[in-house]
Amino acid sequence: MKGKKQKEPAGMNPAEIFAALDLLEKERGIPKEAMLEKVLKAIASAYKKDHRDVEEENILVEADEEHKELRMFIRKTIVDEEDYVDPFNEMTLEEARAISARYEIGDTVNVPVDKMEFGRIAAGNGKQQIIQGLREAERGMVYDEFNSKQHEILTGVVTRIDPRNGAASLRIGTGSESTEALLLSGEQVPGEPMEEGMHIKVYVVDVRRSTRGPQVLISRTHPGLVKRLFELEVPEIFDGSVEVKSIAREAGSRTKMAVWSNEENVDPIGACVGPRGQRVAAIVEELRGEKIDIIKYSENPAEFIAAALAPADVVDVRMAEEGKACRCVVPDDQLSLAIGKEGQNARLAARLTGYKIDIKPQSYRPEEDEEDLFSASEPEAESVEEAPTGETSAEEAPTGEVSAEQVPTGEE
């Protein structure tokens, strides 16, 4: 279909149009009926552009699939000679009777369009619509392919890095079902090296249709990336015996992940860590050293919050009477550990549990505080489906957690 440009797109007669549609249906799965309808509409629209005085509803294009032929007619209404004012859409009774003596005023006559003119219009627009339909079908197939992989991990090859904003273009997929995806600088892990030719794993956030084909939105910072990596490494998560309840992540630095076992004989933390920490270590390596804390989920909010603040020990958790807020009391010498560097540990614990967390040392006396109120620590909980969260480092594992090196507690 691609050839040298000609003054007139001759060489594609109706029989060839039908043959091309049959081939597209057979090899690409494009329905012939839908494509033929587009071709007929395109031919009618092209004729209308060249003959503006002809009413669009009076242009009739017919397809004879049995004989592989296309025909075009102009419908003209028979009027009395005194009322005859529109030669493009009307015909006098005398003209109609010259065709058939049975015609009466008010009847319509299908007048065939000149074969030479129709052949020129049909060839050009038929070819154009077939090429366009092929492109749309290919885009549709690519869209369907990647739309089915939303919230999954794909491997892409870095093809280009924009020196102005750092955005990386990735080629995802193979063959005709591959597409370009843009990894924006905001979706890249801070400090993570990115070079042309690198193979990297990305999380498919969304797939959208666009005039240039499917637009695949990918990320390296999305919490869902951590969840999918654990599904690939941990059979118990993949088969459902261990469930990831929530994940909180600060990409490139640390992740907290809450897990739960649906089976009494399965240790959810041990399953995620793996023999000698091999499973979690593989994920940490893929995330370029990002620390991951694996925490055991509990339906008791106080127990869950205490575990989420690991590696710090929690002496007491007092829940607020209203709202999702609590106060956690920790030993004086572990206050900074509970809060974490720049508040990271408390912030991730709040996101993981969905509770506002106020951390106080054991020496704290409420009666001495004139403004004794629960304060917030960013509770924005992220669901597993939308933005899983989690933490387990290969080097450290908070209380109630195990690290890749089987260390029960870790240091900030």
Side-chain angles (χ1 to χ4, degrees), residues 285-345:
E285 183 179 1
E286 172 61 34
L287 297 177
R288 309 290 196 273
E290 182 174 319
K291 296 176 181 179
I292 305 175
D293 293 337
I294 304 175
I295 298 162
K296 187 173 182 179
Y297 173 79
S298 174
E299 293 183 354
N300 183 321
E303 291 181 3
F304 185 27
I305 293 167
L309 282 172
D313 295 325
V314 177
V315 177
D316 182 43
V317 177
R318 183 163 65 88
M319 310 301 297
E321 295 180 1
E322 296 181 1
K324 300 188 72 174
C326 68
R327 169 169 293 152
C328 296
V329 178
V330 299
D332 288 27
D333 60 351
Q334 293 195 29
L335 180 61
S336 61
L337 186 64
I339 296 173
K341 184 179 181 181
E342 297 179 350
Q344 185 187 66
N345 193 58

Side-chain angles (χ1 to χ4, degrees), residues 89-108:
N89 300 285
E90 296 175 347
M91 176 182 288
T92 65
L93 182 59
E94 183 179 353
E95 291 174 326
R97 290 279 174 84
I99 300 173
S100 174
R102 293 177 297 176
Y103 283 124
E104 299 291 344
I105 294 176
D107 292 345
T108 57

Side-chain angles (χ1 to χ4, degrees), residues 158-387:
V158 180
T159 57
R160 181 178 178 274
I161 299 176
D162 193 326
R164 296 170 299 177
N165 54 28
S169 297
L170 276 70
R171 170 60 60 177
I172 300 178
T174 57
S176 61
E177 294 185 353
S178 65
T179 189
E180 285 285 337
L182 189 64
L183 184 62
L184 300 175
S185 57
E187 297 297 332
Q188 298 177 26
V189 177
E192 188 174 71
M194 193 75 66
E195 299 176 357
E196 292 184 9
M198 283 183 61
H199 288 71
I200 60 173
K201 287 184 173 66
V202 293
Y203 181 79
V204 181
V205 180
D206 194 13
V207 182
R208 301 173 182 171
R209 294 186 186 272
S210 70
T211 54
R212 295 185 178 181
Q215 183 182 18
V216 184
L217 306 181
I218 56 177
S219 175
R220 283 278 295 175
T221 63
H222 198 285
L225 178 67
V226 178
K227 179 177 184 290
R228 295 306 182 196
L229 287 173
F230 270 96
E231 287 182 352
L232 293 174
E233 290 289 338
V234 182
E236 290 85 352
I237 293 180
F238 184 80
D239 64 22
S241 55
V242 172
E243 182 181 352
V244 178
K245 287 291 188 179
S246 62
I247 300 178
R249 184 185 184 202
E250 292 190 359
S253 179
R254 193 166 188 170
T255 291
K256 284 183 181 287
M257 182 174 76
V259 294
W260 171 262
S261 175
N262 296 316
E263 299 180 14
E264 293 182 2
N265 298 328
V266 177
D267 175 17
I269 295 176
C272 293
V273 172
R276 299 181 180 179
Q278 293 176 354
R279 292 174 177 174
V280 72
I283 296 170
V284 169
E285 183 179 1
E286 172 61 34
L287 297 177
R288 309 290 196 273
E290 182 174 319
K291 296 176 181 179
I292 305 175
D293 293 337
I294 304 175
I295 298 162
K296 187 173 182 179
Y297 173 79
S298 174
E299 293 183 354
N300 183 321
E303 291 181 3
F304 185 27
I305 293 167
L309 282 172
D313 295 325
V314 177
V315 177
D316 182 43
V317 177
R318 183 163 65 88
M319 310 301 297
E321 295 180 1
E322 296 181 1
K324 300 188 72 174
C326 68
R327 169 169 293 152
C328 296
V329 178
V330 299
D332 288 27
D333 60 351
Q334 293 195 29
L335 180 61
S336 61
L337 186 64
I339 296 173
K341 184 179 181 181
E342 297 179 350
Q344 185 187 66
N345 193 58
R347 185 166 58 248
L348 288 174
R351 291 179 184 171
L352 186 72
T353 61
Y355 278 79
K356 296 179 181 180
I357 302 176
D358 183 25
I359 302 175
K360 298 293 183 182
Q362 269 186 302
S363 59
Y364 170 76
R365 294 292 179 267
E367 59 272 13
E368 300 175 2
D369 190 349
E370 294 181 359
E371 297 182 0
D372 180 28
L373 301 173
F374 285 124
S375 59
S377 182
E378 292 194 22
E380 304 165 5
E382 298 163 285
S383 70
V384 171
E385 292 77 8
E386 297 175 356

